[in-house]
């Protein structure tokens, strides 16, 4: 079991999903749950193709329409 944290610096809402841009890269270690304000969210796998062609390493997607700016995201393997 391990934990890593990052802060949400911007967000974008699309239908029932929210894309969260973090202040650091997503951990390379396997994780299956995001916790924000002690609420568990499952990672949503959206296919995002940046115009630059570079891999996006600091954006996650969750199923929610709430605002998460400035909140801490905990990555956990449970």
């Amino acid at each position: 079991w391990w934990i890593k944290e990052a802060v949400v610096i911007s967000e974008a809402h699309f239908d029932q999903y929210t894309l969260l841009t973090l202040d650091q890269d997503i951990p390379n270690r396997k994780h299956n749950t995001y916790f924000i304000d002690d609420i568990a969210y499952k990672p949503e796998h959206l296919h995002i193709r940046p115009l630059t062609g570079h891999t996006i390493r600091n954006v996650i997607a969750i199923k929610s329409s709430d605002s998460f700016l400035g909140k801490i995201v905990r990555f956990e393997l449970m």
Side-chain angles (χ1 to χ4, degrees):
W1 174 340
W2 67 274
I3 298 171
K4 180 176 176 155
E5 295 181 343
V7 176
V8 177
I9 58 173
S10 71
E11 63 187 13
H13 300 277
F14 299 98
D15 295 324
Q16 60 191 358
Y17 299 100
T18 299
L19 297 178
L20 304 174
T21 303
L22 308 174
D23 68 338
Q24 56 188 296
D25 289 349
I26 298 166
N28 287 331
R29 294 186 67 182
K30 185 177 179 181
H31 61 276
N32 60 6
T33 306
Y34 306 138
F35 279 91
I36 305 171
D37 288 341
D38 293 322
I39 298 172
Y41 296 90
K42 292 294 178 194
E44 295 290 337
H45 300 286
L46 303 178
H47 298 284
I48 304 168
R49 296 182 64 115
L51 296 176
T52 63
H54 294 94
T55 302
I56 298 173
R57 300 188 190 277
N58 68 328
V59 176
I60 61 173
I62 60 174
K63 194 171 191 176
S64 176
S65 59
D66 293 338
S67 179
F68 299 94
L69 284 175
K71 303 229 180 207
I72 293 174
V73 177
R74 271 189 357 245
F75 298 87
E76 295 190 20
L77 176 59
M78 299 179 66

